Amino acid sequence: MVNKLAEITLRSQVAKDNLALAKYFLSWDKIEKIALVISKDETINKSAIDKFVTDSQKYVEVFFIELNSKEPSFGDWKCFTKKDKSLLNLPKKTISNDLLNKKFDLVINASNNFPLFASAITSAIKAPVKCGQTNGFNEVQLIIQRTVPFNLINYLNDVVKYLKMIKTN
């Protein structure tokens, strides 16, 4: 019951966020600021992610979802812990309001866990291009399916490869 209520709330929020946002594709060369949404799981390799961020030569802000933790795991990433979720397991209103003030060129939702929370974060961040593994709540325009077994770095490299294929004027 709580999960259904959370889904209805999230669908409503995504629809509202989508109305207020212009969507258009940017080629990889025109992307300057990236929001990367990932979640805690057994395959997270921080040094590999940091290397991807450095190699991208873009400004990348990492939003790390670890809702089962009491304290943030990393000081240089924006970590979402137990204190950041509402009763519906969605971001608290203050979190969503903070995200609305951030502007990016691209959001990549590469989260394996906490799909409602990750979708809410992805929706709240303002960016003309949003990419993810699924589009369950209509929060992304570009869907790049993950491979099995999932490897975050391979997925991020696939996203970059497809974005490099997009040609815009």
Side-chain angles (χ1 to χ4, degrees):
M1 179 69 170
V2 171
N3 199 37
K4 282 292 180 195
L5 184 57
E7 287 180 12
I8 291 168
T9 303
L10 180 56
R11 286 187 198 287
S12 172
Q13 185 60 47
V14 169
K16 183 178 149 191
D17 292 341
N18 282 343
L19 282 176
L21 185 63
K23 298 173 192 144
Y24 50 90
F25 281 109
L26 292 171
S27 61
W28 180 251
D29 343 349
K30 294 183 181 169
I31 292 172
E32 295 175 3
K33 291 180 71 177
I34 301 171
L36 176 59
V37 180
I38 57 176
S39 58
K40 185 174 188 170
D41 66 24
E42 62 281 346
T43 64
I44 288 293
N45 180 338
K46 185 173 187 316
S47 60
I49 296 167
D50 287 341
K51 182 179 179 340
F52 170 83
V53 168
T54 303
D55 291 350
S56 74
Q57 298 180 341
K58 311 282 183 188
Y59 172 82
V60 180
E61 191 167 339
V62 178
F63 297 90
F64 186 60
I65 304 169
E66 51 180 343
L67 299 182
N68 296 328
S69 301
K70 290 183 180 180
E71 296 294 322
S73 296
F74 308 110
D76 56 338
W77 291 356
K78 173 60 179 149
C79 297
F80 299 105
T81 59
K82 282 183 179 184
K83 67 178 175 40
D84 297 315
K85 69 179 180 175
S86 69
L87 293 174
L88 296 176
N89 289 324
L90 293 172
K92 288 184 175 178
K93 199 67 170 164
T94 54
I95 301 296
S96 296
N97 289 341
D98 288 346
L99 293 173
L100 287 172
N101 294 325
K102 295 183 175 278
K103 291 186 189 282
F104 292 89
D105 300 316
L106 170 67
V107 177
I108 302 171
N109 181 353
S111 174
N112 271 337
N113 299 312
F114 315 110
L116 292 175
F117 198 94
S119 292
I121 296 296
T122 302
S123 177
I125 297 171
K126 292 180 182 174
V129 182
K130 295 183 181 184
C131 173
Q133 301 170 45
T134 63
N135 195 17
F137 297 96
N138 200 28
E139 76 279 11
V140 300
Q141 299 82 40
L142 179 61
I143 300 169
I144 299 174
Q145 293 184 339
R146 64 184 177 157
T147 56
V148 178
F150 180 73
N151 179 297
L152 179 60
I153 298 304
N154 289 346
Y155 180 76
L156 294 173
N157 288 330
D158 284 348
V159 169
V160 171
K161 177 177 78 175
Y162 288 112
L163 288 171
K164 285 181 177 179
M165 287 186 213
I166 296 172
K167 301 294 179 203
T168 59
N169 294 333

